[in-house]
Amino acid sequence: MTKKKLTTTGGAPISNNQNSITAGKRGPVLIQDYQLMEKLAHQNRERIPERVVHAKGWGAFGTFTVTDDITKYTCAKIFSEVGKQTPMLARFSTVAGEKGAADAERDVRGFALKFYTEEGNWDMVGNNTPVFFIRDGYKFPDFIHTQKRHPKTNLRSNTAKWDFWSKTPESLHQVTILHSDRGIPSTPMHMNGYGSHTYSFWNKKGERYWVKLHFKTQQGHAFMTNEESKKAIGESRETYQEALYGAIEKGNFPKWSFYVQIMPEKEAEKTQYNPFDLTKVWPHGDYPLIKVGEFELNKIPDNYFVYIENAAFSPSNVVPGIGFSPDKMLQARIFSYADAHRYRLGTHYEMLPPNRPLSGANHYHKDGQMRFFNNFEENPDAYYEPNSFNGPEEDKELAEPPLRIDGDADRYGNEDDDDFTQAGNLFRLFNNEQKQRLFQNIAEEMAGVPEKIIQKQLELFDAADPEYGKGVRKALGM
Ligand code: NDP
């Protein structure tokens, strides 16, 4: 391979990359040394805004394979035949920690998948938990503030966390998962992923189904206790990156099985619980898991920044056959995630290498940051729509079935919702050792929290299961 010549960003060969230009051997430096300025200016711009949430992440490319036929539920091309394979990108993350945070902290994990389908990108932007702390995006900024740093101390605050949770009973289900064993998975390969929200499928006959998405680890669940996580973080802050990178580079490709739960459209009016409430699961007994396929991660991107830091996942990216649902939290994220990427990466972020649809993107959005691609080269006159110059047109065949909506517009609370049964069901599923670790994990995280906030939270544990409240009291030495 012939060695390339070092050049300026303008492509001109560089004759000396070791010394700046000085007046005489002892300096000073001349301002005309533009390459010195250029190097320093580039260094100043090496960072882009980190994600406000999910800043610390680990990712890889992979392949999704259909193993079972679900075409009666959805016409999405990705599922069109058994054996079909679709390239994909996965990014896992913690939620609250900044970009330099340690990997093995107790936190929910992001579980984001981008499928490069033949009809555009489908982004499945989920978590390693089937539920979330809140059911309404209106509360999201407040909730995240409690997970981040206090404005004066610049420290994270147990008081803020428990104050918010104790005043938000809907959080109890997720609080229970977070402080259970699954709150610190050993590696990203040893955890499940869930779409968490309710989405929708529609088929060729125009029938809609509500759907929950489950991705079960084939590596098995593995977790760290608080002590193990402290030790791991003491030795390395990058345990997840090391594990994922190490496994894939060695050819140990991690795999997940993909299942769905399916609810016919009309049934949503009859379920005891609101099936669009992100703080609830659909019990498996009511809606059993249906196998769809599996994916494996098999390639580490050649450049982390290009392919993982620039990866922009958004629930707004759906494809024909897959749609949204009335889930309030999902609807807030549809706006919020894409908007975060416009801010963080720039207007045309969808054309960056990890985000660019392999099937092509033909739209009439015009200029702005990163407009480095042409419109339609064969017909440059087609730069608005409708036009008479053979520009891209809509395809009415792909219309989603209409969604029936009734009810008066208002800011509805969910005061009559049951926030306790499912949290209690989860608690009752734990064996004695798991319960003891749950009590201990909660007690440790309540250090320094004012008594009246602890009392309010204990009432919530009692409401889920009296044994739950009793166990936490004991761990607190009450
Ligand atoms: P099931 O007994 O059918 O399902 C319980 C599920 O809980 C399991 O399938 C497993 O889901 C998950 N689970 C098992 N052990 C743990 C653990 N230590 N920590 C966290 N999750 C665990 O009952 P239901 O479907 O009626 O659900 C009962 C409770 O289980 C729910 O209230 C919810 O908290 C929890 N759960 C339910 C899920 C669902 O979609 N129905 C999914 C996950 C949890 P998995 O195989 O996905 O790991």
Side-chain angles (χ1 to χ4, degrees):
M1 200 165 54
T2 42
K3 202 178 235 175
K4 287 187 176 155
K5 274 192 182 154
L6 180 70
T7 73
T8 64
T9 48
I14 284 183
S15 63
N16 186 330
N17 195 41
Q18 316 306 321
N19 310 105
S20 44
I21 304 170
T22 51
K25 227 174 173 179
R26 296 192 174 181
V29 170
L30 298 192
I31 199 162
Q32 75 164 51
D33 188 353
Y34 180 72
Q35 290 316 316
L36 168 65
M37 310 300 155
E38 172 92 347
K39 276 177 96 164
L40 298 178
H42 261 273
Q43 185 182 30
N44 287 341
R45 288 162 179 77
E46 281 177 8
R47 298 288 173 271
I48 57 174
E50 66 174 42
R51 294 159 169 89
V52 174
V53 282
H54 298 275
K56 182 78 189 281
W58 324 276
F61 285 108
T63 312
F64 168 66
T65 307
V66 179
T67 56
D68 294 77
D69 183 10
I70 57 160
T71 53
K72 67 177 170 182
Y73 303 119
T74 171
C75 56
K77 289 261 171 71
I78 180 173
F79 305 122
S80 64
E81 56 187 298
V82 171
K84 186 165 185 168
Q85 295 200 311
T86 300
M88 57 175 292
L89 175 64
R91 181 177 184 271
F92 310 111
S93 50
T94 44
V95 180
E98 294 93 352
K99 198 168 161 6
D103 294 350
E105 290 180 347
R106 183 172 299 282
D107 199 352
V108 172
R109 265 55 178 175
F111 194 104
L113 309 176
K114 189 183 284 293
F115 298 95
Y116 301 99
T117 88
E118 65 199 90
E119 277 184 335
N121 291 348
W122 173 38
D123 290 359
M124 200 305 299
V125 200
N127 280 330
N128 70 328
T129 60
V131 295
F132 196 61
F133 298 95
I134 47 176
R135 58 166 74 92
D136 189 332
Y138 208 68
K139 292 187 180 178
F140 193 65
D142 285 304
F143 165 63
I144 291 302
H145 292 163
T146 71
Q147 303 294 300
K148 295 278 186 176
R149 292 169 190 273
H150 183 286
K152 182 173 180 188
T153 64
N154 198 34
L155 298 169
R156 285 166 73 175
S157 164
N158 285 350
T159 297
K161 280 195 248 182
W162 290 106
D163 194 22
F164 182 89
W165 287 333
S166 67
K167 287 174 175 283
T168 313
E170 73 209 52
S171 65
L172 186 62
H173 198 176
Q174 179 80 322
V175 165
T176 305
I177 298 177
L178 177 64
H179 295 90
S180 79
D181 290 346
R182 291 197 188 180
I184 318 180
S186 296
T187 81
M189 291 93 84
H190 294 90
M191 63 188 193
N192 286 351
Y194 302 88
S196 311
H197 298 290
T198 299
Y199 289 89
S200 56
F201 276 170
W202 80 87
N203 63 19
K204 286 212 173 98
K205 291 192 235 161
E207 295 161 333
R208 176 183 283 106
Y209 296 88
W210 306 117
V211 59
K212 290 273 195 197
L213 312 167
H214 301 251
F215 301 86
K216 293 207 184 204
T217 173
Q218 292 186 14
Q219 290 65 244
H221 288 275
F223 68 93
M224 290 185 209
T225 61
N226 278 357
E227 282 60 44
E228 287 164 340
S229 116
K230 279 180 204 149
K231 186 166 179 295
I233 292 171
E235 286 166 7
S236 166
R237 300 173 65 76
E238 321 296 338
T239 44
Y240 278 34
Q241 179 68 15
E242 286 158 5
L244 184 68
Y245 182 89
I248 296 177
E249 288 294 283
K250 275 196 216 107
N252 297 332
F253 301 148
K255 288 188 180 176
W256 283 260
S257 305
F258 179 16
Y259 298 87
V260 289
Q261 285 175 293
I262 297 276
M263 181 187 294
E265 185 172 15
K266 289 264 178 234
E267 264 179 53
E269 294 159 19
K270 294 186 229 143
T271 49
Q272 263 187 334
Y273 49 89
N274 173 2
F276 308 117
D277 177 347
L278 182 58
T279 67
K280 306 278 189 314
V281 296
W282 297 357
H284 291 128
D286 297 349
Y287 296 95
L289 296 182
I290 298 169
K291 181 89 187 288
V292 178
E294 64 175 34
F295 75 84
E296 74 167 22
L297 298 182
N298 46 32
K299 185 177 181 322
I300 294 291
D302 291 332
N303 185 310
Y304 178 89
F305 183 86
V306 173
Y307 293 97
I308 303 300
E309 190 58 15
N310 277 342
F313 299 87
S314 170
S316 52
N317 277 337
V318 287
V319 293
I322 303 174
F324 308 128
S325 81
D327 178 339
K328 288 194 264 191
M329 196 64 203
L330 170 62
Q331 298 200 339
R333 290 178 76 217
I334 291 166
F335 161 74
S336 171
Y337 277 52
D339 188 57
H341 301 313
R342 279 189 284 268
Y343 161 68
R344 195 172 67 85
L345 300 170
T347 312
H348 291 285
Y349 70 90
E350 299 265 38
M351 291 307 273
L352 288 169
N355 307 325
R356 200 174 189 138
L358 298 180
S359 54
N362 306 313
H363 54 72
Y364 292 90
H365 302 304
K366 207 159 174 270
D367 305 338
Q369 277 173 321
M370 299 195 297
R371 181 74 214 214
F372 53 81
F373 51 99
N374 286 336
N375 284 63
F376 319 112
E377 282 169 26
E378 61 285 9
N379 48 0
D381 294 332
Y383 61 96
Y384 51 87
E385 214 276 337
N387 64 65
S388 311
F389 302 101
N390 203 28
E393 283 180 359
E394 67 206 19
D395 180 353
K396 291 199 165 59
E397 295 279 297
L398 299 174
E400 182 173 352
L403 179 65
R404 194 171 62 81
I405 296 174
D406 46 33
D408 300 325
D410 205 347
R411 294 188 184 275
Y412 291 98
N414 291 70
E415 288 77 15
D416 47 356
D417 267 20
D418 170 4
D419 293 320
F420 304 109
T421 302
Q422 290 201 352
N425 289 346
L426 178 64
F427 173 77
R428 288 180 284 275
L429 198 116
F430 296 153
N431 64 29
N432 191 42
E433 287 78 41
Q434 289 171 323
K435 283 180 184 163
Q436 295 308 319
R437 285 193 292 270
L438 172 76
F439 302 147
Q440 198 53 40
N441 293 339
I442 290 173
E444 281 179 31
E445 247 186 87
M446 283 184 162
V449 176
E451 173 77 19
K452 68 172 185 201
I453 294 177
I454 293 181
Q455 287 302 345
K456 195 159 177 53
Q457 183 67 39
L458 287 169
E459 286 169 23
L460 301 186
F461 296 140
D462 289 337
D465 192 304
E467 202 201 324
Y468 193 171
K470 203 169 141 198
V472 176
R473 278 188 187 83
K474 195 163 170 225
L476 285 166
M478 286 174 154

